[in-house]
Amino acid sequence: MEDKKILFSAIQPSGILTIGNYLGALRNFKKLQDDYNGVYAIADLHTLTVKQDPAILRKNTYELAALYLACGIDPEKSILFAQSHVSAHSELAWVLNTICYPGELSRMTQFKDKSKKHEDNINMGLMDYPVLMAADILLYQTELVPIGADQKQHLELARDLAIRFNNRFGETFKIPEGYIGKSAARVMSLAEPDRKMSKSDANLNAFISMDDDPATVLRKFKRAVTDSDDKIIYSPEKPGISNLLSIYCAFTDKTFDQAEQEFAGKGYGDFKLAVGQVVTDKIEPIRQEKNRLLNDKAYLDEVLKSGAERAERLAYRTLSKVYKKVGLVARKRG
């Protein structure tokens, strides 16, 4: 890989992504791959911490691979692979488990949240997946990790484990930093604008999926919750309109002041239509390209195979150092 900083990012193939995922992560990947060595994983092992339908998980893995590519990831410039195709992730996670303490994992906010949601399946993977996440990051001598607010705890654990290992066994891992890109809108539910937009929302009108066609996008925005008066201004007292303004500005790169001036004197109907249109203009070409790629499974398999081979070379370079440092006998090959 070229002499650029290594940036690692992983997304779980656990269902259709929303425009919140697009604004927060996916749209940045194309820009970032020119400035960094991008390593992008489909975090399929992480999905196993909650019950999965095997056929749907396989389908979602292909869907996410196609979406990455449709959003502009170039498999010649960046490494795109399925996490389960590189066994070094699981191998390093085991070593890191031996220097991680149960108290650290039980304090994780997401473990507490997911335990409440999945009370019938509180498994060790659910508690331990932050260690696997640390392995994902540290394997590639990652310097930068794009993170949102809900991932800060996990990055801190990865940093703590890297420092702990380096102190105990000698310099081995680079200490990753969080990458905070251009501030993205916090996209809220179209039905309940005081809650974050979620693909798992039971109300299908509450979120815009990256798979929604133009008619569906426009229909959902027309039904979006607004506020009692008719002024299109950004204000904490107007969560519905403020959410729509955030989405509009994120997709057009306009400021709130510019958007407010643009829609001064106009009604909510015209405004909602405009928001729906700018979102459609951006995501419809992506949706069409994703569907085209899904019709070429042989190409997707080749991208994932090539990506895994490239990732494996980097990963085992690190894992070999780790095994040597902890005292494991090197396997004789040939």
Side-chain angles (χ1 to χ4, degrees):
M1 297 174 80
E2 296 176 50
D3 189 22
K4 299 176 184 174
K5 286 187 175 181
I6 293 176
L7 180 144
F8 177 88
S9 182
I11 297 177
Q12 291 189 40
S14 53
I16 298 165
L17 300 186
T18 71
I19 57 170
N21 301 115
Y22 172 74
L23 293 173
L26 291 165
R27 74 166 175 172
N28 298 320
F29 292 162
K30 183 178 180 180
K31 304 171 192 172
L32 292 171
Q33 70 184 350
D34 291 326
D35 298 323
Y36 302 99
N37 285 321
V39 180
Y40 299 106
I42 297 170
D44 50 355
L45 291 175
H46 284 291
T47 65
L48 300 180
T49 59
V50 298
K51 292 173 182 174
Q52 299 288 335
D53 179 312
I56 292 176
L57 177 55
R58 278 188 286 271
K59 176 178 178 289
N60 287 343
T61 300
Y62 280 114
E63 293 253 354
L64 183 54
L67 182 59
Y68 267 121
L69 296 170
C71 285
I73 289 289
D74 181 344
E76 298 297 318
K77 291 181 179 179
S78 302
I79 296 175
L80 174 60
F81 69 104
Q83 177 193 30
S84 62
H85 292 179
V86 180
S87 59
H89 287 255
S90 301
E91 294 180 67
L92 180 57
W94 176 254
V95 176
L96 295 179
N97 270 327
T98 66
I99 63 165
C100 186
Y101 308 121
E104 292 176 297
L105 300 180
S106 63
R107 286 193 297 269
M108 287 284 169
T109 302
Q110 285 202 15
F111 170 67
K112 294 175 183 176
D113 292 345
K114 288 195 173 185
S115 294
K116 289 176 185 174
K117 288 181 184 176
H118 305 280
E119 290 182 349
D120 63 333
N121 186 31
I122 303 175
N123 56 75
M124 282 309 301
L126 200 60
M127 176 180 272
D128 197 44
Y129 84 99
V131 179
L132 178 57
M133 192 178 292
D136 298 338
I137 295 166
L138 300 179
L139 263 179
Y140 299 98
Q141 301 298 338
T142 300
E143 289 152 287
L144 294 168
V145 185
I147 55 168
D150 59 342
Q151 297 297 336
K152 285 181 180 177
Q153 244 191 339
H154 293 143
L155 180 61
E156 280 306 311
L157 180 69
R159 288 171 53 83
D160 289 346
L161 293 178
I163 292 166
R164 193 174 300 161
F165 189 94
N166 289 351
N167 288 340
R168 189 175 297 182
F169 297 105
E171 204 65 28
T172 308
F173 297 116
K174 288 188 176 176
I175 311 303
E177 299 285 343
Y179 174 88
I180 310 295
K182 179 183 173 185
S183 60
R186 181 174 168 79
V187 181
M188 311 304 281
S189 163
L190 299 183
E192 298 176 70
D194 58 337
R195 293 195 303 112
K196 187 177 176 183
M197 183 179 286
S198 170
K199 64 191 176 191
S200 58
D201 200 311
N203 182 354
L204 298 181
N205 290 313
F207 63 91
I208 304 294
S209 147
M210 292 300 290
D211 276 352
D212 283 343
D213 61 34
T216 302
V217 172
L218 292 174
R219 187 184 73 250
K220 287 182 178 181
F221 274 112
K222 284 178 184 175
R223 295 178 178 177
V225 168
T226 49
D227 308 287
S228 54
D229 65 37
D230 60 354
K231 290 178 182 166
I232 300 170
I233 57 171
Y234 188 88
S235 165
E237 296 172 2
K238 296 170 67 68
I241 284 297
S242 295
N243 184 38
L244 295 181
L245 274 168
S246 292
I247 294 169
Y248 183 79
C249 292
F251 274 92
T252 60
D253 290 325
K254 292 181 179 178
T255 65
F256 288 128
D257 284 344
Q258 289 172 329
E260 288 172 3
Q261 289 173 25
E262 182 180 348
F263 293 101
K266 294 185 179 177
Y268 283 172
D270 289 340
F271 176 55
K272 288 180 177 182
L273 190 64
V275 180
Q277 194 57 57
V278 297
V279 172
T280 293
D281 290 345
K282 280 288 198 308
I283 71 171
E284 179 58 14
I286 294 170
R287 187 181 76 91
Q288 291 187 7
E289 175 63 5
K290 176 190 167 187
N291 288 339
R292 185 191 71 78
L293 288 164
L294 284 171
N295 286 322
D296 191 352
K297 287 281 176 60
Y299 173 70
L300 293 177
D301 281 331
E302 182 52 41
V303 167
L304 293 176
K305 177 176 178 289
S306 172
E309 288 168 353
R310 292 166 66 197
E312 203 164 44
R313 284 194 291 274
L314 290 174
Y316 273 98
R317 200 178 298 164
T318 297
L319 189 65
S320 295
K321 288 180 186 174
V322 169
Y323 278 179
K324 184 176 180 180
K325 291 283 179 73
V326 300
L328 300 182
V329 174
R331 176 183 171 189
K332 303 300 180 187
R333 301 181 182 274

